[in-house]
Short mmCIF file of all heavy atoms in Angstrom, two decimals:
data_model
loop_
_atom_site.label_atom_id
_atom_site.label_comp_id
_atom_site.label_asym_id
_atom_site.label_seq_id
_atom_site.Cartn_x
_atom_site.Cartn_y
_atom_site.Cartn_z
N LYS A 1 80.78 122.30 41.49
CA LYS A 1 80.38 121.42 42.59
C LYS A 1 80.05 122.27 43.81
O LYS A 1 80.65 123.29 44.05
CB LYS A 1 81.51 120.47 42.95
CG LYS A 1 81.86 119.48 41.89
CD LYS A 1 82.83 118.43 42.40
CE LYS A 1 84.12 119.05 42.87
NZ LYS A 1 85.10 118.05 43.28
N ARG A 2 79.11 121.81 44.60
CA ARG A 2 78.77 122.49 45.86
C ARG A 2 79.35 121.75 47.05
O ARG A 2 79.47 122.29 48.12
CB ARG A 2 77.25 122.60 46.00
CG ARG A 2 76.64 123.48 44.98
CD ARG A 2 75.14 123.56 45.18
NE ARG A 2 74.52 124.24 44.07
CZ ARG A 2 74.10 125.49 44.10
NH1 ARG A 2 74.25 126.19 45.19
NH2 ARG A 2 73.55 126.03 43.05
N ASN A 3 79.69 120.49 46.86
CA ASN A 3 80.26 119.66 47.92
C ASN A 3 81.55 119.03 47.42
O ASN A 3 81.79 118.96 46.22
CB ASN A 3 79.30 118.55 48.34
CG ASN A 3 78.00 119.09 48.88
OD1 ASN A 3 78.00 120.01 49.68
ND2 ASN A 3 76.89 118.52 48.44
N GLY A 4 82.37 118.56 48.34
CA GLY A 4 83.60 117.86 47.96
C GLY A 4 83.31 116.47 47.45
O GLY A 4 82.18 116.00 47.44
N ASP A 5 84.36 115.81 47.00
CA ASP A 5 84.23 114.44 46.51
C ASP A 5 84.30 113.45 47.66
O ASP A 5 84.86 113.74 48.72
CB ASP A 5 85.35 114.13 45.52
CG ASP A 5 85.17 114.85 44.20
OD1 ASP A 5 84.05 115.28 43.90
OD2 ASP A 5 86.16 114.96 43.46
N ASP A 6 83.75 112.28 47.43
CA ASP A 6 83.75 111.23 48.44
C ASP A 6 84.74 110.14 48.05
O ASP A 6 85.10 109.98 46.89
CB ASP A 6 82.36 110.60 48.57
CG ASP A 6 81.34 111.57 49.11
OD1 ASP A 6 81.70 112.38 49.98
OD2 ASP A 6 80.18 111.52 48.66
N ILE A 7 85.17 109.38 49.04
CA ILE A 7 86.02 108.21 48.85
C ILE A 7 85.18 107.00 49.23
O ILE A 7 84.63 106.95 50.33
CB ILE A 7 87.28 108.28 49.73
CG1 ILE A 7 88.08 109.54 49.39
CG2 ILE A 7 88.13 107.02 49.55
CD1 ILE A 7 89.18 109.83 50.39
N TRP A 8 85.05 106.05 48.32
CA TRP A 8 84.18 104.89 48.51
C TRP A 8 85.01 103.61 48.60
O TRP A 8 86.06 103.49 47.99
CB TRP A 8 83.21 104.77 47.33
CG TRP A 8 82.28 105.93 47.24
CD1 TRP A 8 82.52 107.13 46.62
CD2 TRP A 8 80.98 106.03 47.79
NE1 TRP A 8 81.46 107.95 46.76
CE2 TRP A 8 80.48 107.31 47.47
CE3 TRP A 8 80.18 105.16 48.52
CZ2 TRP A 8 79.22 107.73 47.87
CZ3 TRP A 8 78.92 105.58 48.91
CH2 TRP A 8 78.45 106.86 48.58
N VAL A 9 84.50 102.65 49.36
CA VAL A 9 85.14 101.35 49.51
C VAL A 9 84.12 100.28 49.09
O VAL A 9 82.98 100.30 49.53
CB VAL A 9 85.57 101.09 50.98
CG1 VAL A 9 86.11 99.70 51.15
CG2 VAL A 9 86.59 102.12 51.41
N ALA A 10 84.56 99.38 48.23
CA ALA A 10 83.70 98.27 47.79
C ALA A 10 84.23 96.98 48.39
O ALA A 10 85.41 96.68 48.28
CB ALA A 10 83.69 98.19 46.27
N ARG A 11 83.35 96.22 49.04
CA ARG A 11 83.72 94.90 49.55
C ARG A 11 83.54 93.91 48.42
O ARG A 11 82.44 93.77 47.87
CB ARG A 11 82.85 94.52 50.73
CG ARG A 11 83.36 93.24 51.38
CD ARG A 11 82.61 92.78 52.60
NE ARG A 11 81.88 93.80 53.31
CZ ARG A 11 80.82 93.55 54.07
NH1 ARG A 11 80.39 92.32 54.20
NH2 ARG A 11 80.21 94.51 54.69
N PRO A 12 84.61 93.20 48.03
CA PRO A 12 84.52 92.31 46.86
C PRO A 12 83.56 91.14 47.07
O PRO A 12 83.33 90.71 48.20
CB PRO A 12 85.95 91.82 46.67
CG PRO A 12 86.65 92.07 47.96
CD PRO A 12 85.92 93.17 48.65
N GLY A 13 83.05 90.66 45.96
CA GLY A 13 82.19 89.48 45.98
C GLY A 13 83.01 88.21 46.14
O GLY A 13 84.21 88.25 46.40
N ASN A 14 82.38 87.06 45.92
CA ASN A 14 83.02 85.76 46.17
C ASN A 14 83.81 85.21 45.00
O ASN A 14 84.55 84.25 45.15
CB ASN A 14 81.96 84.74 46.58
CG ASN A 14 81.36 85.09 47.92
OD1 ASN A 14 82.03 85.64 48.78
ND2 ASN A 14 80.08 84.79 48.09
N GLY A 15 83.67 85.77 43.82
CA GLY A 15 84.40 85.25 42.66
C GLY A 15 85.15 86.35 41.94
O GLY A 15 84.96 87.53 42.22
N PRO A 16 86.01 85.95 41.01
CA PRO A 16 86.83 86.94 40.31
C PRO A 16 86.02 87.93 39.45
O PRO A 16 86.48 89.01 39.18
CB PRO A 16 87.77 86.10 39.45
CG PRO A 16 87.11 84.78 39.32
CD PRO A 16 86.29 84.59 40.56
N HIS A 17 84.82 87.56 39.04
CA HIS A 17 84.00 88.44 38.20
C HIS A 17 82.67 88.77 38.86
O HIS A 17 81.74 89.22 38.18
CB HIS A 17 83.77 87.79 36.84
CG HIS A 17 85.03 87.48 36.12
ND1 HIS A 17 85.83 88.46 35.57
CD2 HIS A 17 85.67 86.31 35.88
CE1 HIS A 17 86.89 87.91 35.02
NE2 HIS A 17 86.82 86.59 35.20
N SER A 18 82.57 88.57 40.17
CA SER A 18 81.31 88.83 40.86
C SER A 18 81.21 90.30 41.26
O SER A 18 82.21 90.99 41.39
CB SER A 18 81.17 87.93 42.09
OG SER A 18 82.22 88.19 42.99
N SER A 19 80.01 90.75 41.43
CA SER A 19 79.76 92.13 41.84
C SER A 19 80.16 92.34 43.30
O SER A 19 80.25 91.39 44.07
CB SER A 19 78.27 92.45 41.70
OG SER A 19 77.86 92.32 40.36
N ALA A 20 80.36 93.58 43.65
CA ALA A 20 80.69 93.92 45.04
C ALA A 20 79.53 93.55 45.95
O ALA A 20 78.36 93.67 45.58
CB ALA A 20 80.99 95.40 45.16
N VAL A 21 79.86 93.11 47.15
CA VAL A 21 78.84 92.77 48.14
C VAL A 21 78.21 94.06 48.67
O VAL A 21 77.01 94.14 48.89
CB VAL A 21 79.46 91.95 49.30
CG1 VAL A 21 78.48 91.74 50.42
CG2 VAL A 21 79.98 90.63 48.78
N SER A 22 79.04 95.07 48.88
CA SER A 22 78.54 96.35 49.36
C SER A 22 79.49 97.45 48.94
O SER A 22 80.66 97.20 48.65
CB SER A 22 78.39 96.35 50.89
OG SER A 22 79.67 96.23 51.50
N VAL A 23 78.99 98.66 48.90
CA VAL A 23 79.79 99.84 48.62
C VAL A 23 79.42 100.87 49.68
O VAL A 23 78.24 101.16 49.88
CB VAL A 23 79.52 100.40 47.21
CG1 VAL A 23 80.32 101.66 46.96
CG2 VAL A 23 79.82 99.36 46.15
N GLU A 24 80.43 101.38 50.39
CA GLU A 24 80.17 102.33 51.47
C GLU A 24 81.09 103.53 51.36
O GLU A 24 82.23 103.42 50.94
CB GLU A 24 80.41 101.65 52.82
CG GLU A 24 79.51 100.46 53.07
CD GLU A 24 79.82 99.76 54.37
OE1 GLU A 24 80.36 100.41 55.29
OE2 GLU A 24 79.54 98.57 54.46
N ARG A 25 80.57 104.69 51.77
CA ARG A 25 81.40 105.88 51.79
C ARG A 25 82.37 105.79 52.95
O ARG A 25 82.00 105.56 54.08
CB ARG A 25 80.53 107.14 51.93
CG ARG A 25 81.37 108.40 51.88
CD ARG A 25 80.57 109.66 51.82
NE ARG A 25 79.43 109.60 52.69
CZ ARG A 25 78.29 110.25 52.47
NH1 ARG A 25 78.17 110.99 51.40
NH2 ARG A 25 77.30 110.15 53.30
N PHE A 26 83.66 105.94 52.64
CA PHE A 26 84.73 105.85 53.63
C PHE A 26 85.09 107.22 54.18
O PHE A 26 85.41 107.37 55.34
CB PHE A 26 85.95 105.18 52.98
CG PHE A 26 87.16 105.18 53.84
CD1 PHE A 26 87.30 104.25 54.86
CD2 PHE A 26 88.17 106.10 53.65
CE1 PHE A 26 88.43 104.24 55.66
CE2 PHE A 26 89.31 106.09 54.44
CZ PHE A 26 89.43 105.16 55.45
N GLY A 27 85.06 108.21 53.33
CA GLY A 27 85.42 109.55 53.74
C GLY A 27 84.94 110.58 52.75
O GLY A 27 84.53 110.25 51.63
N SER A 28 84.97 111.84 53.15
CA SER A 28 84.54 112.94 52.29
C SER A 28 85.53 114.08 52.39
O SER A 28 86.08 114.35 53.46
CB SER A 28 83.16 113.45 52.73
OG SER A 28 82.18 112.48 52.55
N LEU A 29 85.74 114.75 51.28
CA LEU A 29 86.52 115.97 51.27
C LEU A 29 85.53 117.14 51.34
O LEU A 29 84.57 117.18 50.58
CB LEU A 29 87.35 116.07 49.98
CG LEU A 29 88.35 114.94 49.75
CD1 LEU A 29 89.00 115.09 48.39
CD2 LEU A 29 89.39 114.94 50.84
N THR A 30 85.76 118.05 52.24
CA THR A 30 84.81 119.16 52.43
C THR A 30 85.10 120.33 51.51
O THR A 30 84.25 121.18 51.32
CB THR A 30 84.82 119.64 53.88
OG1 THR A 30 86.15 120.04 54.24
CG2 THR A 30 84.35 118.54 54.82
N ASP A 31 86.28 120.40 50.92
CA ASP A 31 86.63 121.47 49.98
C ASP A 31 86.06 121.10 48.62
O ASP A 31 86.43 120.09 48.03
CB ASP A 31 88.15 121.59 49.93
CG ASP A 31 88.63 122.72 49.04
OD1 ASP A 31 87.86 123.15 48.16
OD2 ASP A 31 89.76 123.16 49.23
N CYS A 32 85.16 121.91 48.09
CA CYS A 32 84.49 121.54 46.83
C CYS A 32 85.42 121.56 45.63
O CYS A 32 85.09 121.01 44.59
CB CYS A 32 83.27 122.42 46.59
SG CYS A 32 83.66 124.14 46.27
N ASP A 33 86.59 122.19 45.74
CA ASP A 33 87.54 122.20 44.63
C ASP A 33 88.50 121.02 44.67
O ASP A 33 89.21 120.76 43.70
CB ASP A 33 88.37 123.49 44.64
CG ASP A 33 87.53 124.71 44.32
OD1 ASP A 33 86.56 124.57 43.56
OD2 ASP A 33 87.84 125.80 44.84
N ALA A 34 88.57 120.33 45.79
CA ALA A 34 89.53 119.23 45.96
C ALA A 34 88.97 117.93 45.40
O ALA A 34 87.77 117.72 45.33
CB ALA A 34 89.86 119.05 47.44
N GLU A 35 89.90 117.07 45.00
CA GLU A 35 89.50 115.74 44.53
C GLU A 35 90.54 114.71 44.94
O GLU A 35 91.73 114.97 44.86
CB GLU A 35 89.30 115.72 43.02
CG GLU A 35 90.51 116.13 42.23
CD GLU A 35 90.23 116.25 40.75
OE1 GLU A 35 90.26 115.21 40.06
OE2 GLU A 35 89.99 117.36 40.30
N PRO A 36 90.08 113.54 45.44
CA PRO A 36 91.02 112.47 45.77
C PRO A 36 91.53 111.85 44.47
O PRO A 36 90.75 111.59 43.56
CB PRO A 36 90.19 111.48 46.58
CG PRO A 36 88.78 111.72 46.12
CD PRO A 36 88.70 113.16 45.73
N THR A 37 92.84 111.62 44.39
CA THR A 37 93.39 111.10 43.14
C THR A 37 94.10 109.77 43.31
O THR A 37 94.61 109.22 42.35
CB THR A 37 94.37 112.11 42.52
OG1 THR A 37 95.43 112.35 43.45
CG2 THR A 37 93.68 113.39 42.18
N GLY A 38 94.16 109.26 44.51
CA GLY A 38 94.79 107.96 44.71
C GLY A 38 94.87 107.61 46.18
O GLY A 38 94.87 108.48 47.05
N LEU A 39 94.90 106.31 46.45
CA LEU A 39 95.00 105.79 47.82
C LEU A 39 96.17 104.83 47.90
O LEU A 39 96.48 104.13 46.94
CB LEU A 39 93.73 105.04 48.20
CG LEU A 39 92.42 105.79 48.13
CD1 LEU A 39 91.27 104.83 48.35
CD2 LEU A 39 92.38 106.89 49.16
N TYR A 40 96.80 104.79 49.06
CA TYR A 40 97.90 103.85 49.28
C TYR A 40 97.90 103.41 50.73
O TYR A 40 97.93 104.26 51.63
CB TYR A 40 99.25 104.51 48.96
CG TYR A 40 100.44 103.66 49.32
CD1 TYR A 40 100.79 102.58 48.53
CD2 TYR A 40 101.18 103.92 50.46
CE1 TYR A 40 101.87 101.78 48.86
CE2 TYR A 40 102.26 103.12 50.81
CZ TYR A 40 102.60 102.06 50.01
OH TYR A 40 103.65 101.27 50.35
N TRP A 41 97.80 102.10 50.99
CA TRP A 41 97.91 101.57 52.36
C TRP A 41 99.38 101.39 52.67
O TRP A 41 100.13 100.81 51.88
CB TRP A 41 97.21 100.22 52.48
CG TRP A 41 95.73 100.32 52.60
CD1 TRP A 41 94.83 100.05 51.62
CD2 TRP A 41 94.99 100.73 53.74
NE1 TRP A 41 93.56 100.26 52.09
CE2 TRP A 41 93.63 100.68 53.40
CE3 TRP A 41 95.33 101.13 55.03
CZ2 TRP A 41 92.62 101.01 54.28
CZ3 TRP A 41 94.33 101.46 55.92
CH2 TRP A 41 92.99 101.40 55.54
#
């Protein structure tokens, strides 16, 4: 890899099986060897 991995956020659709309304990049890791492995609020 030449760039780090990104963290993406998907805004859910209106139903339980609907597609995401949008997907946006939330953050980026600048270290090309690093990878995000989990998120916790």
